[in-house]
Amino acid sequence: YPQEHGLRNLIEQKHLYPLTILSLLSQSQKQMLLENHVVLTKQLVDNPGNLDILELQQDKKARIIEEAKQVLG
């Protein structure tokens, strides 16, 4: 709630965006990632192998990683 230390500011400063904001993932794909403790877009960028559990084609994985990078800025 404090101006400089509210949740929104912390998320933006630390780049802690939830993967649920990614438009290229379906609800079921997001749910599967969450069940496997992948919660943040940063986790996908830092370790693209986290997407392996979704059994996606390489081009789809690449597009998701690119979207995650764009979110992180």
Side-chain angles (χ1 to χ4, degrees):
Y1 191 125
Q3 283 289 63
E4 300 295 318
H5 303 290
L7 184 57
R8 176 183 227 133
N9 283 346
L10 288 173
I11 288 170
E12 290 175 1
Q13 289 171 2
K14 304 288 183 183
H15 301 285
L16 300 175
Y17 300 99
L19 65 84
T20 55
I21 66 171
L22 299 176
S23 64
L24 293 175
L25 290 170
S26 69
Q27 283 303 116
S28 61
Q29 290 168 330
K30 291 174 186 177
Q31 186 63 38
M32 188 178 294
L33 288 167
L34 292 170
E35 288 171 1
N36 284 276
H37 311 287
V38 181
V39 178
L40 303 172
T41 55
K42 186 173 181 351
Q43 289 175 276
L44 297 178
V45 172
D46 291 347
N47 184 4
N50 282 322
L51 290 172
D52 290 348
I53 61 172
L54 301 179
E55 299 179 2
L56 302 171
Q57 294 181 3
Q58 276 306 119
D59 63 319
K60 175 76 172 185
K61 287 181 189 179
R63 290 196 314 272
I64 292 167
I65 296 301
E66 187 56 38
E67 181 183 21
K69 286 179 180 178
Q70 289 177 358
V71 166
L72 294 176

